[in-house]
Amino acid sequence: MPPRKTCITYHEKFIQHDFGINHPFRGNRYTRAMEYFERKGLFNLPNIVLVKPEPIEKEILFKVHSKDYVDYIFRLAELNEPYDMDTPTSKSIIEALMYIIGGVIKAGEAVFKGEFERAAALGGGSHHAGRDYGGGFCLFNDIAILIEYLREKFNVKRFLVLDYDAHAGNGTSDIYYSDPTVLFISIHQDPLTIYPGRGFISEIGSGEGIGYNVNIPLPMRTGEEAYLYALKEIFLPLAGEFKPEIIIANGGSDSHFADHLGSLGLTAKGFFKIARLIGQVSDEVCWGRAVLLIGSGYNIQVLPYGWYALIAGIAELNISEEDIEDYYPAPQNPWQNINEVKRIVKELKSILAAYWSCFR
Ligand SMILES: [Zn+2]
């Protein structure tokens, strides 16, 4: 079988998305990933199309962010001043972000219009940015910008966001906390042990959006099997009951066992399985419309393998998990924590049962 018709958005300008020496977020993530993709012959495969995005206009940011916040970030960038200790700004970074968000919109629009079945937008997934704040390497929430773009242009009524980044997506969560049109599911490392200290199972949304904010916090050293167990137990039934019109998923390679910022236990094969699962669910519930926003990863050796595995999974390349390479051999005694994960899943289901019949 040929791969699914998949668009991958990338532009040479992305390399300017670089937070400087001694920062874990460097612009070489893009070039290193692209070099590996080329080496694997990704762009020679049928149905895989590399798309160079146009930059967005500043006004697009106002779909999600307040004018005051956007103007503030642009002023900081003029002065080369950081937003906070972790999150620098500069004109060059902002220019890169305009291209990256252009890619995210292009990817989502192409899938929604049916030009492509699947899409992967490199550099997307700035999930720590809220309407009026940034942080955690994020300035503008491209996930929400895509949602608002699709809502306005195509009148989309139901979005499912699956945030599989190692960190909880607090910005996305805040933006949609009382909005029942966006089912937000975040699977991440226990917030007691990692930035941003948010994403507990008790955070379930408010007002009309109660029950539409779902957090799956996993203990440090959760292994692949336990991770996938939790994902399947929560994401699959919810997607089936919610019936989104599109699945937007975000996360790069920071759930890998060798990542320098995260302490979860996935391998590159795990990323392949996650992306395959997202693709399968999208076939079942939303005509195969699935978009991955792939940006994180803080072990530059691992990152190209993790990102490739995600793309291979979502594009359904004609390979098996055995063909997925990793930079490091898989740990001999993979971390698991299955019993603790089962307990968390059970507790979460009992909380969500009030809002979802699939858990009753
Ligand atoms: Zn992360």
Side-chain angles (χ1 to χ4, degrees), residues 189-210:
Q189 187 180 322
D190 180 357
L192 290 175
T193 63
I194 195 170
Y195 182 89
R198 285 271 316 278
F200 296 97
I201 59 174
S202 55
E203 294 174 44
I204 56 166
S206 66
E208 288 187 3
I210 196 158

Side-chain angles (χ1 to χ4, degrees), residues 135-169:
F137 316 162
C138 302
L139 292 168
F140 304 120
N141 192 310
D142 51 275
I143 307 144
I145 293 167
L146 173 58
I147 288 173
E148 296 315 319
Y149 182 88
L150 293 177
R151 199 197 300 272
E152 203 175 299
K153 190 146 182 201
F154 302 103
N155 195 24
V156 181
K157 298 246 179 345
R158 289 181 314 283
F159 302 86
L160 192 155
V161 176
L162 176 68
D163 187 327
Y164 56 87
D165 189 275
H167 306 86

Side-chain angles (χ1 to χ4, degrees), residues 127 165-167 254 296 298:
H127 60 164
D165 189 275
H167 306 86
D254 64 1
S296 74
Y298 307 101

Side-chain angles (χ1 to χ4, degrees), residues 5-9 47-51 106-107 110 116 118-121:
K5 207 172 175 206
T6 302
C7 104
I8 299 167
T9 59
N47 287 347
I48 305 291
V49 181
L50 186 62
V51 173
K106 176 76 211 168
F116 289 89
R118 303 284 165 78

Side-chain angles (χ1 to χ4, degrees), residues 109-129:
E109 186 171 30
V111 164
F112 203 82
K113 279 161 68 176
E115 292 169 0
F116 289 89
E117 294 177 274
R118 303 284 165 78
L122 301 189
S126 288
H127 60 164
H128 298 307

